[in-house]
Amino acid sequence: MWTTVLVSGITLGSFYTLVALGFALIFGVTHTFNLAHGELIVFAGYVAYWMWKTYGVSLLLTFPAAILATLVLCLILQRLFSRLREPMEMNSIVLSFGLAILLQNGMLFFFSGDYRLIRVPLLNQRIHLPGLSLSYGQFTLLTISLLVLALTYVLLHHTYLGKALRATIQDRESAALAGINVRGMGILAFAIGAVLIGLAGPLFGSIHYLYPTAGLQATLIAVTITIFAGVGQIRTLILGGWILGFAESCTVVLLGASWRELVSAIMLLTLLALRPHGILGREEQ
Amino acid sequence: MTREQPTSAPMKHLPLAHMVLLLGLAILLALPLLSGGNDYILQVFTHALLLAILALAWNILAISGSISLGHAAFFGVGAYTSGLLSLESGVSPWATIPLAGFAAAVIALGVWLFCRRLRGAYFALATLAFVEIPRVLTDNWDSLTRGSLGLVGLPGLPGLRLGPLYFDIGASSIGSYYFVLVFGLLLLATVTLILRSNLGLALQAIREEETAAASLGIRVQGYRLLALLLSALFSGITGACYAHLVHYIEPGMVYGLHFSAIPVIFAICGGRFTIVGPALAALVLYPLDQFVFHPLLPAGHEFLYGAVIVLAILFLPSGFWGQLRKGQFVSIKTGSIE
Amino acid sequence: MSLLRLEALSKRFGEHWALKEIDFDLEEGEIVGLVGPNGAGKTTLFNLITGRHKPSSGRVWFEGKDITFYRPHEIQRYGISRTFQSSRPFARMRVLENVVVGRIFSGKFHLFPHTEDTNMARQLLELVGLAHKEDALAGELTLSERRRLDLARALATEPKLLLLDEVVAGFSPLAVKQAAELVQRARERGVTLFIVDHFMSLSLTVSDRLLALDHGEKIAEGKPQEVMRNRKVIRAYLGTRHDDEAQSAER
Ligand SMILES: Nc1ncnc2c1ncn2[C@@H]1O[C@H](COP(=O)(O)OP(=O)(O)O)[C@@H](O)[C@H]1O
Ligand SMILES: [Mg+2]
């Protein structure tokens, strides 16, 4: 049984890392806490659901549309966030809180409050390997998540733009002095974030019911993993995602599925209590 | 804030502000007449008043500089405490409502445990996460809370007899309306008193410059905790009143994002550096939502709240009441609520 | 018994020693200047005395009491107040309220401000020359006005010991002279003063003694003229460029 828990923990955790990655990247580069992150994921999920339902497009083929839709939305949001002043973290929280409400109501209008799921029967079939068994769904989730994480890693570490992004995350002032266009990096971060959200959304819609207020949980997950990891390190993000995924799987097995939502909240509260100055660690002198 | 002050330049907008307030109060007092016996109008305003009270309570904490995104925790615990006590033991809601306030304050101690050392954005995130604890507990602890089924058939607010006068309160829309109005005015008076007292000075000083406040002898953590407790106490009482007014609660409703978001929206749109701003915003926006946007747009009418907070932070961060009283409060630059 | 006694006070930030084994005594009624180049550890010393930072080792004694590990507001109640290098007014409160806050919380708490609190605050605003601004918001003051507000606010607590951190940085010679008068008047009220003054513009004229720091170490102490002639002090000052000032201005 514990291998099952482990497998589902790691699968879920990898997906959670994907959910958090866009959030962490945007936060790292622009210091924006985008509380509408989960709503964006749900939105991308709805786009995929709509394509799948009305045109019978297969799940994988919905990705481009979901990505495109989130990209447009994220670039609009970026314009709004860029008008905020310091303290960026607090102001962006309040602004994005409002944006989240806007998005929720927009989705309620277009997709109604009903629970929707992108049902792909194949995903429920099981693959049997020596010593463990997992579903196609888990397998797909794991593969896509890890693949995207790996690609992002390569992008950040082995391309010029990625290095510029990382330099901006480390220290905006020095990056600006080194001739990096910090504003441009902010837009780029939102764009890459949008792609990641566009990838996470359809996956979300295939494993979890979509409804307009489903985003809060995803936001909490993203915040938790980001606070766990600090900014900049994909490896630590994955570790955080796995710990959270594993903790949730254990909770579901030991206490029941209805306790799952408590896990990320408690983990976030504990992390914050231990790290009161937050990620940037800007302890006042 | 300091006494004997009505002098000098910055007061020049005050007459207008006073007129608005007096007119508003007159309308509220006469509303049962103005509404021509229309129960729906009264119910909407009763609810608007409850939300105004919640926003006032929220602002006690915000005055000390901490923005909470999780006041639904206090509201919900208050609603459940009073609801369960009155259902299970048959005690009058008049006894259980104050207890609900205390229960919410106890929950606030739990928040304090986690958030003691947090400021600004991190405090806000922690409160957002904290709501999940009472919500999931209420949802799952079936034997105590009846779980996700919620509480049905809660007793209404009993009538009160004061000498020869009898107030029917829960029995009619007018009674409920006046009860909530009186509660709101009392809380408004309390908040005014707090803000004009030295306690209010301490809270504002902590908000503006914590380090300097401590260096002047202000017990920073003590006052922050006190603000949190007071805010939670009143939010809990509000939740309890809500429960007895609507007779039905369930975890997803009273712990939902709605009751966390509403006070933030109203306080920031109304002006969180003002006393009445948050309440005024509630009394304007909620009826606007119910009378105009709800009929137009049954699904998604609450986009109004999202829109106003986005607009407020981008263009009017001191809130509309704060703006009207410019000169009373600092001209804050746009794009920032801090 | 000296008013303030620092005993082998040290502070380490990570690997970096901001202060090393500082011993110093301050007598009641004195005005002592704390000088040294930027980064010498002057502000850090104030932070240790006022409880903002805890020392890595060593002790702070005030009126014979060990206050090393007291919290800032407790230390204030014993009679130590300070101003900050980058002035920290309560920006969205009125100038008068700023000073009233200083007055109210240092003594016994009462729930509503008394008229005498306001009157005293007005007198202090008069003293620092801000009486005409009492209704302005503190955030709208100029830098030199803010510094004077800081001073009034700190004086309102009626401290026994007042620590001033770079109160005259960026002031014109005339303003420095006015500040010197203020300091003298504070002393006449019975306040002992410890003044950080990087450029020695103020401390040379008003101080009874100087304490000079460099790289966290005490390099000299004594009469101002003696300290000024001290070779280590001269070398410490010549070794630093004055445009460092800008870098540490925010501390
Ligand atoms: N909170 C802090 N964290 C890390 N280093 C600090 C902190 N405060 C001061 N320092 C360091 O301690 C040294 C002394 O600083 P400071 O006391 O501000 O000098 P001064 O006031 O004499 O210019 C400097 O090297 C500074 O970088
Ligand atoms: Mg200094």
Side-chain angles (χ1 to χ4, degrees):
Chain A
M1 182 186 85
W2 287 105
T3 44
T4 322
V5 173
L6 197 65
V7 168
S8 85
I10 287 190
T11 316
L12 210 55
S14 306
F15 176 63
Y16 285 174
T17 315
L18 175 61
V19 166
L21 189 56
F23 181 90
L25 189 68
I26 291 174
F27 176 74
V29 176
T30 65
H31 297 184
T32 300
F33 270 123
N34 180 16
L35 291 191
H37 184 76
E39 274 71 23
L40 288 170
I41 290 180
V42 174
F43 167 75
Y46 270 126
V47 172
Y49 172 83
W50 172 70
M51 304 240 349
W52 169 80
K53 186 85 183 172
T54 41
Y55 302 109
V57 179
S58 89
L59 179 63
L60 281 179
L61 291 181
T62 62
F63 284 122
I67 290 174
L68 200 67
T70 2
L71 197 59
V72 173
L73 206 53
C74 276
L75 289 178
I76 297 173
L77 294 196
Q78 191 276 335
R79 303 288 312 150
L80 294 180
F81 281 116
S82 69
R83 300 186 50 138
L84 294 178
R85 295 164 188 270
E86 293 296 328
M88 200 51 199
E89 287 128 302
M90 188 66 233
N91 289 327
S92 61
I93 280 188
V94 177
L95 176 62
S96 59
F97 204 54
L99 293 172
I101 296 173
L102 272 178
L103 281 169
Q104 284 177 12
N105 282 282
M107 293 188 290
L108 188 62
F109 180 74
F110 286 107
F111 302 103
S112 91
D114 299 343
Y115 282 45
R116 317 273 193 192
L117 186 67
I118 306 176
R119 272 180 225 281
V120 186
L122 174 71
L123 295 183
N124 290 324
Q125 287 176 26
R126 300 196 75 80
I127 312 172
H128 293 280
L129 296 174
L132 84 169
S133 124
L134 74 175
S135 68
Y136 274 98
Q138 287 179 319
F139 180 75
T140 323
L141 205 58
L142 190 65
T143 327
I144 297 185
S145 301
L146 291 181
L147 197 66
V148 175
L149 292 174
L151 283 176
T152 316
Y153 183 87
V154 172
L155 175 78
L156 286 180
H157 286 260
H158 297 284
T159 66
Y160 169 74
L161 273 181
K163 285 177 184 163
L165 272 175
R166 283 197 300 136
T168 315
I169 293 173
Q170 302 287 276
D171 183 347
R172 274 197 280 189
E173 263 113 66
S174 320
L177 287 177
I180 295 173
N181 175 356
V182 173
R183 257 188 79 84
M185 286 301 127
I187 299 175
L188 184 64
F190 268 89
I192 299 177
V195 174
L196 294 166
I197 291 169
L199 288 165
L203 291 175
F204 185 89
S206 70
I207 58 165
H208 190 292
Y209 281 104
L210 294 166
Y211 49 93
T213 52
L216 181 62
Q217 268 296 314
T219 304
L220 274 185
I221 285 167
V223 176
T224 308
I225 296 175
T226 305
I227 302 263
F228 175 87
V231 281
Q233 291 281 349
I234 291 193
R235 267 169 304 179
T236 354
L237 277 178
I238 296 181
L239 182 65
W242 283 0
I243 292 178
L244 180 57
F246 185 66
E248 284 198 355
S249 300
C250 289
T251 310
V252 169
V253 168
L254 295 174
L255 296 173
S258 52
W259 294 89
R260 189 183 57 82
E261 293 178 340
L262 205 53
V263 178
S264 54
I266 295 214
M267 185 165 155
L268 177 57
L269 284 168
T270 315
L271 285 171
L272 284 172
L274 294 177
R275 230 188 205 183
H277 299 290
I279 306 173
L280 303 173
R282 274 190 309 217
E283 182 171 4
E284 231 203 325
Q285 294 207 338
Chain B
M1 295 295 112
T2 30
R3 280 5 41 211
E4 90 265 36
Q5 210 193 36
T7 50
S8 74
M11 302 306 219
K12 59 176 170 289
H13 290 292
L14 211 54
L16 175 61
H18 273 319
M19 267 154 52
V20 173
L21 285 185
L22 284 177
L23 185 70
L25 185 61
I27 293 178
L28 286 179
L29 285 173
L31 193 76
L33 292 177
L34 297 174
S35 69
N38 183 329
D39 261 8
Y40 177 60
I41 294 183
L42 274 188
Q43 277 160 14
V44 166
F45 273 91
T46 308
H47 197 73
L49 280 168
L50 266 180
L51 297 181
I53 291 169
L54 189 59
L56 280 176
W58 181 90
N59 212 32
I60 298 177
L61 180 61
I63 288 287
S64 75
S66 304
I67 302 268
S68 153
L69 301 183
H71 258 50
F74 310 131
F75 186 88
V77 166
Y80 259 93
T81 307
S82 189
L84 279 172
L85 281 176
S86 59
L87 263 190
E88 302 285 343
S89 65
V91 178
S92 155
W94 296 126
T96 59
I97 288 177
L99 289 177
F102 283 110
V106 171
I107 294 296
L109 286 177
V111 173
W112 183 246
L113 216 61
F114 285 109
C115 304
R116 208 163 47 89
R117 293 161 70 202
L118 302 177
R119 303 290 187 283
Y122 298 95
F123 184 92
L125 288 178
T127 49
L128 183 68
F130 186 86
V131 195
E132 297 290 290
I133 296 178
R135 184 179 68 80
V136 173
L137 281 178
T138 311
D139 223 344
N140 285 294
W141 196 344
D142 292 4
S143 57
L144 179 70
T145 64
R146 309 186 185 180
S148 49
L149 293 176
L151 304 181
V152 192
L154 292 174
L157 296 166
L160 278 182
R161 181 173 296 286
L162 278 182
L165 298 171
Y166 179 77
F167 302 96
D168 67 354
I169 306 200
S172 73
S173 300
I174 296 188
S176 307
Y177 173 79
Y178 276 119
F179 164 69
V180 179
L181 180 59
V182 168
F183 175 27
L185 290 174
L186 284 177
L187 184 61
L188 184 64
T190 313
V191 172
T192 310
L193 221 58
I194 289 176
L195 273 183
R196 296 215 187 282
S197 74
N198 290 339
L199 171 59
L201 276 186
L203 296 182
Q204 294 177 70
I206 291 168
R207 175 190 74 210
E208 295 296 322
E209 255 304 337
E210 199 180 306
T211 317
S215 84
L216 297 175
I218 296 179
R219 184 185 265 280
V220 172
Q221 290 297 69
Y223 283 107
R224 287 184 71 218
L225 174 59
L226 185 59
L228 177 65
L229 290 177
L230 285 173
S231 183
L233 177 84
F234 292 122
S235 305
I237 292 179
T238 315
C241 292
Y242 174 81
H244 294 293
L245 285 169
V246 300
H247 308 292
Y248 166 68
I249 55 174
E250 51 149 348
M253 177 169 84
V254 290
Y255 295 111
L257 191 61
H258 181 74
F259 287 113
S260 291
I262 276 290
V264 186
I265 293 162
F266 291 159
I268 287 176
C269 293
R272 73 182 181 92
F273 304 109
T274 67
I275 297 175
V276 290
L280 283 180
L283 292 171
V284 172
L285 291 174
Y286 183 74
L288 186 67
D289 169 41
Q290 289 298 305
F291 294 136
V292 179
F293 286 87
H294 193 276
L296 285 177
L297 206 70
H301 59 98
E302 287 194 348
F303 88 92
L304 169 72
Y305 297 135
V308 288
I309 193 165
V310 168
L311 292 177
I313 185 165
L314 289 177
F315 303 110
L316 207 68
S318 46
F320 72 78
W321 191 247
Q323 193 71 22
L324 188 64
R325 304 193 60 175
K326 257 300 161 43
Q328 288 279 299
F329 297 88
V330 83
S331 46
I332 307 154
K333 298 190 181 75
T334 55
S336 175
I337 57 151
E338 283 294 291
Chain C
M1 183 180 71
S2 47
L3 185 68
L4 177 77
R5 155 165 291 180
L6 310 179
E7 215 175 80
L9 209 54
S10 301
K11 177 67 184 178
R12 197 176 65 181
F13 291 111
E15 290 302 293
H16 173 74
W17 287 93
L19 282 176
K20 269 176 277 183
E21 305 268 320
I22 305 293
D23 290 298
F24 190 70
D25 277 35
L26 219 92
E27 304 301 329
E28 199 169 337
E30 267 192 316
I31 299 181
V32 175
L34 176 57
V35 300
N38 268 299
K42 306 180 295 289
T43 301
T44 305
L45 188 65
F46 276 14
N47 286 340
L48 294 185
I49 297 173
T50 55
R52 258 194 102 187
H53 295 322
K54 301 296 162 218
S56 307
S57 65
R59 284 276 177 274
V60 181
W61 301 83
F62 186 68
E63 295 188 313
K65 269 191 298 285
D66 183 350
I67 59 164
T68 318
F69 294 103
Y70 286 17
R71 284 178 297 163
H73 69 91
E74 294 169 333
I75 290 175
Q76 198 288 321
R77 305 253 169 113
Y78 280 109
I80 305 182
S81 288
R82 71 174 293 181
T83 65
F84 295 90
Q85 183 165 355
S86 56
S87 103
R88 293 166 180 266
F90 303 128
R92 277 172 297 213
M93 295 168 75
R94 291 176 192 294
V95 166
L96 187 66
E97 283 169 4
N98 268 260
V99 184
V100 169
V101 168
R103 161 81 180 171
I104 285 169
F105 296 93
S106 52
K108 221 171 116 237
F109 183 79
H110 41 277
L111 195 54
F112 287 94
H114 297 162
T115 337
E116 59 204 75
D117 299 329
T118 340
N119 287 344
M120 190 245 204
R122 287 213 170 91
Q123 278 170 20
L124 283 168
L125 284 178
E126 197 102 22
L127 182 77
V128 300
L130 281 179
H132 59 296
K133 293 260 176 164
E134 68 167 55
D135 275 330
L137 291 162
E140 291 169 347
L141 297 182
T142 65
L143 179 67
S144 106
E145 287 171 340
R146 284 180 194 203
R147 290 251 169 78
R148 283 183 277 156
L149 176 59
D150 270 10
L151 186 62
R153 199 172 63 177
L155 281 174
T157 66
E158 303 194 317
K160 294 171 188 151
L161 172 63
L162 179 54
L163 312 179
L164 302 179
D165 199 348
E166 310 275 14
V167 264
V168 294
F171 275 27
S172 69
L174 178 65
V176 172
K177 238 179 99 187
Q178 288 169 344
E181 277 167 33
L182 272 179
V183 167
Q184 293 289 8
R185 264 190 260 162
R187 182 198 343 227
E188 284 156 21
R189 289 165 158 255
V191 182
T192 307
L193 288 116
F194 202 6
I195 304 174
V196 165
D197 185 17
H198 171 66
F199 286 107
M200 303 199 205
S201 48
L202 179 65
S203 48
L204 271 188
T205 52
V206 299
S207 307
D208 305 315
R209 283 196 297 150
L210 291 186
L211 166 64
L213 298 182
D214 187 27
H215 292 300
E217 291 182 71
K218 176 158 90 176
I219 51 173
E221 100 176 72
K223 291 256 169 324
Q225 298 311 323
E226 290 166 20
V227 171
M228 285 294 288
R229 280 196 297 271
N230 184 303
R231 296 183 48 152
K232 282 188 188 162
V233 175
I234 294 170
R235 205 173 320 124
Y237 267 84
L238 291 180
T240 55
R241 300 209 326 270
H242 280 182
D243 57 7
D244 290 351
E245 178 74 4
Q247 283 180 16
S248 70
E250 254 317 294
R251 211 148 282 145

